[in-house]
Amino acid sequence: MENERFFKALSRQRNPTHELKTHFNRMLKREVHQSHTRILDAGEVCNKMWFIVEGSAMAYVAKKGKKVPYWFWNENEVMVPVHSFFKQVPTDGYIEVMEKSTLLSISYQGVRTLIEKFPDFNFLLMDLMEDFQYSAEKRICSLTSNEPRERYELLLKESTFIARKAPVEAIAFYIGVSRKTLNRIRTKR
């Protein structure tokens, strides 16, 4: 069932072959990580694409001893630092699970094998990259065109899990405000 959810998150409305689905399922590994476990460190090359079965995670950079998040993932989402994984270059940031999390992973080599054996798999990856790009563009537009209160309201509307699961300081960094400003916004709600 978990494997099916991962494949569905990738394939969405496409109808890939049963053979592709079977090969994909054979390549998956199940991982369980305790709360606040880093699964990728800055400077490492990401060799896995994950699917969050249960839990949540954040990608962040370290700045002056603080975790400055730039991406969050929740249950039923594909998690991958795109540039590091697909280009096989070191990542600039970290990925940490925010709570006990169950993940499914497929290796970079597994993805390459699927691409070679099933050229249609490229379309699934292309759809995934388009979704990531769209999310990144929306976030940039929000950060550059919305007032702090609007950014917080948008976060509550579109990514409720972040407000529920992430530390206050991480939320403040993510929407581009100080913790003090975020506290004022939350008090006035």
Side-chain angles (χ1 to χ4, degrees), residues 7-186:
F7 196 75
K8 188 175 182 178
L10 279 176
S11 61
R12 290 177 197 82
Q13 297 164 6
R14 295 188 185 273
N15 196 15
T17 65
H18 179 71
E19 187 180 10
L20 167 55
K21 189 175 180 180
T22 301
H23 277 76
F24 177 82
N25 285 333
R26 283 188 199 139
M27 295 180 175
L28 296 181
K29 304 282 187 237
R30 189 171 197 271
E31 305 174 15
V32 177
H33 298 280
Q34 296 304 313
S35 181
H36 304 293
T37 301
R38 275 200 320 249
I39 60 172
L40 185 67
D41 286 327
E44 289 183 347
V45 174
C46 181
N47 289 309
K48 295 179 185 178
M49 176 187 298
W50 297 273
F51 175 77
I52 303 178
V53 176
E54 293 177 331
S56 57
M58 74 174 172
Y60 66 91
V61 293
K63 186 174 180 179
K64 297 180 182 176
K66 305 251 186 209
K67 296 176 183 179
V68 181
Y70 58 88
W71 205 275
F72 289 92
W73 295 275
N74 199 23
E75 293 175 3
N76 297 313
E77 292 183 346
V78 175
M79 176 173 64
V80 62
V82 174
H83 187 70
S84 180
F85 182 79
F86 288 102
K87 294 290 188 181
Q88 288 294 277
V89 296
T91 183
D92 294 326
Y94 301 84
I95 295 180
E96 178 180 300
V97 296
M98 296 190 299
E99 58 191 328
K100 184 176 179 182
S101 298
T102 302
L103 312 174
L104 294 177
S105 66
I106 184 169
S107 69
Y108 174 77
Q109 191 53 50
V111 168
R112 296 295 311 161
T113 299
L114 288 172
I115 290 170
E116 290 167 17
K117 190 166 182 149
F118 304 97
D120 283 353
F121 191 68
N122 274 311
F123 292 111
L124 306 184
L125 296 175
M126 188 171 66
D127 288 346
L128 179 67
M129 296 308 101
E130 287 174 354
D131 288 348
F132 281 141
Q133 179 65 28
Y134 177 69
S135 293
E137 287 175 9
K138 277 181 61 176
R139 180 161 151 61
I140 291 167
C141 285
S142 176
L143 286 170
T144 58
S145 65
N146 291 334
E147 295 297 320
R149 176 179 290 290
E150 294 170 311
R151 293 194 297 263
Y152 183 66
E153 294 296 332
L154 193 61
L155 177 92
L156 292 178
K157 179 181 171 192
E158 295 183 354
S159 302
T160 319
F161 79 96
I162 297 172
R164 283 191 335 266
K165 297 179 179 183
V168 173
E169 188 170 73
I171 296 168
F173 278 124
Y174 189 68
I175 64 170
V177 299
S178 69
R179 184 177 180 157
K180 189 176 179 179
T181 299
L182 177 58
N183 286 336
R184 274 197 309 260
I185 291 169
R186 292 169 77 180

